Amino acid sequence: MSGFDNHKFMRNAIELSMENIKKGGGPFAAVIVRNGEIVAASANSVTNDNDPTAHAEINAIRLACKKLNTYYLSDCTIYTSCEPCPMCLGAIYWSHIGKVYYGNNKTDAGNIGFDDSFIYNELEKPIGNRDVEFVQLLPEEAITAFKEWENKSDKKEY
């Protein structure tokens, strides 16, 4: 991304996060840039949408993918007002975004009540020891979809 004003794009994300607080949302926002142009910008809308997955990064990724008509954002950079949580980090990896700039870090977020450490801790536990009960059910039936996918000759890999 050399030659582009990273500070300008980060300031866009920070300003959007400030505006979102005034609208009743959380203090988070993200901007996705490709070739020096903003292709998507969004704030956290968890409480406004009653959607726990409506984090700023997720919202921005959805908008960028729709606008660019692709699920592969490897030529994009995301500027986010805070270090991404585990869910958003997963979405960033799944969308193949090439670079992440962030303002606040996860400790800053934890200090104001947005602590993700419990999720990181859960991921380290064996599945049977997690706080949420996980029960495998009908794996011998569920595997048929995987086998069909594996044998599909015209599948679109992602």
Side-chain angles (χ1 to χ4, degrees):
M1 273 303 300
S2 67
F4 300 125
D5 189 350
N6 293 318
H7 293 99
K8 177 182 89 169
F9 297 128
M10 180 56 76
R11 285 187 180 107
N12 286 102
I14 293 167
E15 180 60 31
L16 189 55
S17 73
M18 295 292 291
E19 291 171 14
N20 200 48
I21 294 169
K22 294 173 188 159
K23 295 177 183 175
F28 305 98
V31 173
I32 296 178
V33 174
R34 184 174 78 166
N35 298 325
E37 298 291 325
I38 294 174
V39 295
S42 187
N44 173 295
S45 62
V46 169
T47 57
N48 292 336
D49 293 345
N50 291 315
D51 180 351
T53 69
H55 289 202
E57 298 91 339
I58 301 285
N59 289 343
I61 288 169
R62 288 174 178 160
L63 289 170
C65 289
K66 187 170 189 154
K67 181 175 182 179
L68 299 174
N69 196 33
T70 184
Y71 51 84
Y72 204 82
L73 303 175
S74 63
D75 57 349
C76 293
T77 299
I78 191 167
Y79 298 81
T80 180
S81 63
C82 186
E83 182 179 358
C85 74
M87 176 181 68
C88 294
L89 184 62
I92 287 166
Y93 275 95
W94 278 113
S95 66
H96 302 277
I97 288 175
K99 192 167 194 173
V100 178
Y101 289 94
Y102 63 95
N104 298 306
N105 64 35
K106 62 185 176 184
T107 301
D108 299 325
N111 289 339
I112 62 164
F114 295 95
D115 188 358
D116 299 326
S117 62
F118 75 97
I119 297 173
Y120 289 108
N121 292 338
E122 283 291 293
L123 292 172
E124 294 295 320
K125 294 178 183 177
I127 202 163
N129 294 342
R130 293 182 181 163
D131 289 346
V132 173
E133 185 177 4
F134 284 76
V135 180
Q136 189 174 20
L137 188 63
L138 300 176
E140 62 284 348
E141 293 179 32
I143 198 69
T144 58
F146 279 18
K147 288 178 181 177
E148 187 168 329
W149 172 259
E150 186 176 38
N151 295 323
K152 184 174 172 58
S153 62
D154 61 342
K155 63 186 165 207
K156 191 171 184 182
E157 300 277 350
Y158 60 98

